[in-house]
Amino acid sequence: MTDFLPTGIELTYLVATGLFIFGLKKLGSPATARQGNVWASVGMLLAVVATLLNQQVLNYQMILVGIAIGAVIGVTAAYKVAMTAMPQMVGLLNGLGGAASALVAIGEFWRLLNAGQGVPLGSTITVILGVLIGGVTLTGSFVAFGKLQGLITGKPVKFPLQQVFNALLLISFLVCSGYLLVTPDNTTIFLAMVGISSVLGIFFVLPIGGGDMPVVISLLNSFSGLAASAAGFVVMNDMLIVAGALVGASGLILTNIMCKAMNRSLPNVLFSAFGSGEVKGGAGDAGGVGDKVVHSIDAEEGAMMLGYARSVVVVPGYGMAVAQAQHTVRELADQLEKLGVEVKYAIHPVAGRMPGHMNVLLAEANVSYDYLYDMDDINPQFDNTDVALVIGANDVVNPAARSNSSSPIYGMPILDVDKAKHAIVIKRSMNAGFAGIENELFYGDKTMMLFGSAKDVVAQLVAEVKQL
């Protein structure tokens, strides 16, 4: 039995790895994402149980206490945290993953020092990687959490020579790393490296605007996976190495998809402080801005346009998330379908504050996945759409991305709302979106503006549609 145990643990790790890969495949579609999460969770359970059977695990009491505390916190968060707060939750979990990896690296460094045999070169390298990636992920994710939660301004926070300061931090860490490789028992240098990596994470995320959070969260998720993989090398655990590598790779792939969806490079997202310009446009009702005319309607007129249409495409955005209007939007769609209106939802890849943000909110409102259409699938249908209902979206529907070569968002793939026969846009005001530019769609001849909070306005539309 004793001889079989190591082999049994490795076989269990192999099965868990297969479940992780299968789960990731399922997560590629909203329709199968829940199944994928279950498969991956089962794989993680097997991996944890197999690890606990390892004879090198000595203090089961402390492990059980940790599991109990973590389970209570996890279950409480699952019940208490609203779906609209999922971006913050994901950012926080990324940070905790980075913290765990950094603590493993720190603990292993201290263990090797106390053993009195010195720290081997290979262990020193893996510890350095764990501290760097884990520290940056921890504090960077916490800053992202603060921006999304409103504890820190969502605008880019800049100061003179900021990138130079960040470069100096990184160079300082590398210099300390070289010194530690030569004198691996120098605890002062090691603690300095822990501090530098933590500070670097803060100043890495601060200059990134809230509108770029989908990319940042995806990248930090990748960092948390790489940190876990580094921790696996530190403690020589194959499962942790493989699982971390899978998370790191999938996070990088998703980051690349997000950047393509905005037609921007990753360095541009991280270092350009995009969205820090002055916001253009005023807080308006109807009327005009300069030579441009804004057509405004009330809820009764909007309900008539929607109720007598044959097809309606709903375009949700961050404004819907902020107002927590997803349930009211679902109610409106139900009322329209009772009148024989075909309702679909157009989902832009970077709408919201995390990848899949709109999908998550609409799933909470029990909107069937069959009604959700990706950008490439829905764009050809706008020509035959009677009314496009835009709820809190801005830059992702701005025609300037196609027509204005001087626009900051030129070339970004957008939802072709302007090609619909009519468009109704629900916004609080005429203020510009994250890119800080006016939206040409709002001044179109076929566009009608409905001003107010998304939840309140949609509720008024529901009441008016019921009267038709």
Side-chain angles (χ1 to χ4, degrees), residues 418-466:
D418 59 316
K419 295 182 179 180
K421 297 175 183 178
H422 299 281
I424 299 175
V425 179
I426 299 176
K427 273 179 63 68
R428 288 181 178 272
S429 69
M430 289 298 294
N431 281 344
F434 169 67
I437 59 175
E438 288 182 350
N439 192 333
E440 296 177 5
L441 175 69
F442 301 163
Y443 306 99
D445 294 335
K446 299 184 296 182
T447 302
M448 306 296 167
M449 302 298 297
L450 243 177
F451 292 105
S453 170
K455 188 173 184 179
D456 295 338
V457 171
V458 175
Q460 294 171 20
L461 288 174
V462 171
E464 294 294 341
V465 168
K466 289 180 179 179

Side-chain angles (χ1 to χ4, degrees), residues 62-139:
M62 291 300 297
I63 291 174
L64 290 175
V65 170
I67 291 175
I69 295 174
V72 171
I73 295 174
V75 171
T76 303
Y79 277 102
K80 295 292 185 181
V81 176
M83 294 295 282
T84 49
M86 276 298 109
Q88 297 93 299
M89 187 69 175
V90 172
L92 187 61
L93 292 176
N94 286 341
L96 294 177
S101 300
L103 288 173
V104 167
I106 294 171
E108 182 66 6
F109 179 80
W110 241 257
R111 185 187 71 81
L112 291 172
L113 278 183
N114 292 332
Q117 300 177 352
V119 183
L121 178 62
S123 297
T124 303
I125 294 174
T126 54
V127 165
I128 289 172
L129 290 175
V131 168
L132 175 61
I133 305 174
V136 170
T137 305
L138 168 63
T139 55

Side-chain angles (χ1 to χ4, degrees), residues 132-268:
L132 175 61
I133 305 174
V136 170
T137 305
L138 168 63
T139 55
S141 296
F142 280 7
V143 171
F145 167 81
K147 283 177 173 283
L148 293 169
Q149 189 66 21
L151 303 176
I152 306 174
T153 177
K155 295 181 180 179
V157 179
K158 301 185 298 179
F159 56 86
L161 301 177
Q162 186 168 37
Q163 300 307 333
V164 174
F165 177 75
N166 288 346
L168 289 175
L169 284 175
L170 182 58
I171 292 172
S172 300
F173 186 91
L174 294 176
V175 170
C176 290
S177 299
Y179 193 83
L180 191 68
L181 290 173
V182 178
T183 57
D185 58 344
N186 193 316
T187 57
T188 302
I189 290 294
F190 180 73
L191 291 175
M193 292 169 59
V194 173
I196 292 172
S197 66
S198 300
V199 174
L200 182 59
I202 294 173
F203 289 99
F204 172 69
V205 178
L206 271 180
I208 303 175
D212 281 332
M213 281 302 112
V215 177
V216 174
I217 287 178
S218 178
L219 183 63
L220 289 172
N221 181 60
S222 177
F223 283 0
S224 69
L226 295 176
S229 191
F233 280 105
V234 170
V235 298
M236 299 303 294
N237 184 284
D238 295 338
M239 184 72 261
L240 195 54
I241 295 171
V242 173
L246 286 173
V247 174
S250 60
L252 285 176
I253 292 172
L254 184 57
T255 301
N256 184 52
I257 292 173
M258 294 291 106
C259 288
K260 286 184 176 180
M262 297 188 298
N263 194 37
R264 294 165 60 201
S265 65
L266 183 58
N268 179 265

